[in-house]
Amino acid sequence: LGVGDIVSFTWTAYTPTHDHDGVFIDFGAQSRYVYFGYTAEAFRGRRLPILFKPMRDRNSRARGCTQSVSYVAVDNRSSTRLVRASGHVRVGHALYVKKGSFFAAFHTRGVRDAGVRFYVPD
């Protein structure tokens, strides 16, 4: 890596966001959605996303967001560890199935109570 190269980043959304195959995730106006992060291999294990979290938190609070939402695949252990180390608490589980025009979403009570839902726009 050279001077000026990006070594770590996290993408954050403040409005409903496209996931895959025309499915969106909504998470309420009081929340930000942290949906993708990357750290260059040479810098992994240093928890850089946690180091940058205070800056992201300040920006979010300035926008009126007091909660953070993430969803992580159950088999993504490194992201699960990072999310927990960031102070997130698991409130439940959510999943969706989309096959052609068929769409079904399932959310546990904690996820619904947090205002998070998957949907396909009309």
Side-chain angles (χ1 to χ4, degrees):
L1 294 171
V3 175
D5 287 346
I6 295 174
V7 298
S8 183
F9 64 86
T10 304
W11 290 348
T12 302
Y14 296 95
T15 58
T17 303
H18 181 252
D19 186 47
H20 299 286
D21 299 326
V23 177
F24 282 69
I25 182 170
D26 189 7
F27 40 85
Q30 298 266 324
S31 297
R32 70 174 179 222
Y33 171 44
V34 179
Y35 64 98
F36 183 74
Y38 173 79
T39 300
E41 192 171 333
F43 292 86
R44 291 183 186 160
R46 299 181 191 185
R47 296 187 169 185
L48 293 180
I50 295 171
L51 180 68
F52 301 130
K53 186 178 179 293
M55 186 176 3
R56 191 172 63 238
D57 287 348
R58 277 192 304 276
N59 183 51
S60 295
R61 281 192 303 273
R63 298 175 72 109
C65 296
T66 57
Q67 300 177 76
S68 183
V69 172
S70 295
Y71 84 92
V72 178
V74 294
D75 61 345
N76 188 338
R77 291 189 177 125
S78 63
S79 289
T80 299
R81 283 191 302 270
L82 181 64
V83 166
R84 286 187 179 154
S86 296
H88 286 86
V89 176
R90 181 181 296 162
V91 297
H93 300 277
L95 67 98
Y96 65 84
V97 176
K98 173 99 167 53
K99 184 82 172 174
S101 63
F102 175 79
F103 172 74
F106 306 92
H107 310 83
T108 60
R109 173 175 275 155
V111 171
R112 281 191 309 271
D113 290 349
V116 178
R117 69 183 181 103
F118 291 112
Y119 69 98
V120 175
D122 293 333

